[in-house]
């Protein structure tokens, strides 16, 4: 069982920043890729960003130029730095990790962008 513990969500004003963290219970070298999904009420469950063990990165068009996904292998942690936040970014953000034949999810963290 791979456990993913998320942190860093909260309430911010438009234009503000947050950094989400996802700490895995195993080495990132044992994980093919990790990513962040988000879901707002009445919206689809969408992929925001992913990073592979080889360092390849994907961003959804809606967050390109504003969000940055990164990893710290020593801490078994993946981050999502979110800048220039707007109300459309309001959602529950879920960390996801994939290993061979399995996928795992964090508990979700609420991000609310409101003035």
């Amino acid at each position: 069982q791979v456990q993913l513990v998320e942190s860093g969500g909260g309430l911010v004003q438009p234009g503000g920043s947050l950094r989400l963290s996802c700490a895995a219970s195993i080495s990132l070298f044992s994980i093919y890729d990790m990513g962040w999904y988000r879901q707002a009420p009445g919206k689809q469950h969408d992929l925001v960003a992913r990073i592979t063990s080889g360092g390849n990165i994907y961003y959804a068009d809606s967050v390109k130029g504003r969000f940055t996904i990164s990893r710290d292998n020593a801490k078994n942690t993946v981050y999502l730095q979110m800048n220039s936040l707007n109300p459309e970014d309001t959602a529950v953000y879920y960390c996801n990790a994939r290993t061979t034949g399995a996928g795992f999810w964090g508990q979700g963290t609420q991000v609310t962008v409101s003035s």
Side-chain angles (χ1 to χ4, degrees):
Q1 174 73 32
V2 176
Q3 294 181 314
L4 305 174
V5 179
E6 300 179 34
S7 62
L11 173 64
V12 297
Q13 294 183 341
S17 297
L18 285 173
R19 188 179 74 160
L20 306 183
S21 298
C22 178
S25 62
I26 63 172
S27 170
L28 300 190
F29 295 117
S30 300
I31 299 173
Y32 171 70
D33 62 9
M34 295 184 68
W36 293 92
Y37 291 74
R38 68 184 182 186
Q39 186 168 31
K43 301 291 186 178
Q44 289 184 311
H45 185 248
D46 293 328
L47 175 64
V48 177
R50 297 201 73 88
I51 185 167
T52 72
S53 60
N56 291 322
I57 291 172
Y58 164 86
Y59 295 106
D61 288 343
S62 59
V63 307
K64 285 180 180 177
R66 300 188 297 120
F67 290 12
T68 302
I69 190 169
S70 62
R71 66 190 183 196
D72 185 335
N73 292 332
K75 296 181 179 179
N76 295 341
T77 298
V78 169
Y79 304 96
L80 185 68
Q81 178 67 46
M82 305 185 295
N83 299 325
S84 301
L85 286 163
N86 60 66
E88 288 69 45
D89 297 314
T90 295
V92 178
Y93 285 70
Y94 296 93
C95 180
N96 171 260
R98 294 194 296 176
T99 62
T100 301
F104 306 91
W105 292 92
Q107 80 278 13
T109 185
Q110 177 71 48
V111 172
T112 301
V113 185
S114 177
S115 59

